[in-house]
Amino acid sequence: MAYQPGPAGEHTAHAVAAEREARGWEQRELAERLTQAGRPMSQPIVSRIESGARRIDVDDLVALAAAFSVSPAALVPAPEPDEAAPRRRRRRNEPGPVELALADDIDNLGDLIGMEPTHAAVAHRLARQMDGHHPVPCDECGASVYVPNDAKILPNLARELRATVAALVEGRAVDDDDDDDDLGDLGGI
């Protein structure tokens, strides 16, 4: 069954196309920039993203935002407020879309016992910085999106977040069968 994006996926697909077109880039050029930045993509993949035929994961979102020098939050719509709930602005301590996606990815890694806890904490701090806290209306749909105060730092934040998540994944992939410390399972405590 083909992927069918929801409203947020459609918004993000349109936002990616709009950002690319605003810069006068061809899809091929965006694909090359993403590949050079460490997120290999081809022109057909960019086309599928922009048409909504391909799901965008958090790594894609961060790489696309870095390529455009915008916050990842600028590419996704702000959550629609519950009609029954009073309208309010997102508070600084509330997670934004990058931090929420990161938390989901970390949860999918499973048991992190024995891993360096600061990697996850650093990843969350970087995601919060990328989410930003400055609401601006989306040019496409008018929904509020949040951007950091200085979008120029986004490429560096994106690289650092990717490296930190890679360290988490790499640490998770260590084979526990190579336990040569004669301490059994207690060696990781």
Side-chain angles (χ1 to χ4, degrees):
M1 180 179 208
Y3 167 69
Q4 295 293 318
E10 288 178 6
H11 173 93
T12 302
H14 291 288
V16 168
E19 289 288 341
R20 179 186 57 75
E21 291 168 357
R23 288 161 178 73
W25 298 347
E26 297 293 324
Q27 291 176 340
R28 174 196 48 75
E29 186 174 355
L30 176 57
E32 289 171 0
R33 288 172 182 265
L34 292 166
T35 299
Q36 290 170 355
R39 189 70 179 165
M41 270 188 214
S42 63
Q43 179 275 324
I45 291 175
V46 171
S47 176
R48 289 177 46 86
I49 286 172
E50 290 183 357
S51 69
R54 181 179 183 273
R55 180 182 295 268
I56 299 173
D57 68 20
V58 69
D59 291 324
D60 295 338
L61 181 66
V62 169
L64 286 161
F68 297 134
S69 296
V70 300
S71 166
L75 298 174
V76 297
E80 290 298 319
D82 183 2
E83 294 299 322
R87 291 184 176 257
R88 64 175 178 78
R89 295 178 94 157
R90 189 178 96 204
R91 296 182 185 155
R92 284 198 176 267
N93 60 349
E94 288 183 87
V98 175
E99 189 173 11
L100 289 171
L102 172 71
D104 189 41
D105 287 349
I106 288 176
D107 284 346
N108 288 334
L109 285 175
D111 189 6
L112 297 177
I113 292 176
M115 294 203 49
E116 179 63 44
T118 56
H119 286 314
V122 168
H124 278 283
R125 178 184 55 79
L126 291 166
R128 275 192 301 277
Q129 285 179 289
M130 291 179 74
D131 278 328
H133 300 286
H134 180 67
V136 296
C138 171
D139 292 335
E140 290 288 315
C141 68
S144 290
V145 293
Y146 292 86
V147 297
N149 293 332
D150 184 3
K152 294 176 186 173
I153 64 172
L154 278 173
N156 290 335
L157 288 173
R159 276 190 293 278
E160 194 172 342
L161 179 59
R162 280 194 305 271
T164 304
V165 171
L168 276 171
V169 171
E170 183 178 305
R172 182 69 183 113
V174 171
D175 185 5
D176 291 336
D177 293 335
D178 293 334
D179 189 12
D180 62 349
D181 60 5
D182 295 324
L183 296 173
D185 290 340
L186 298 177
I189 295 178

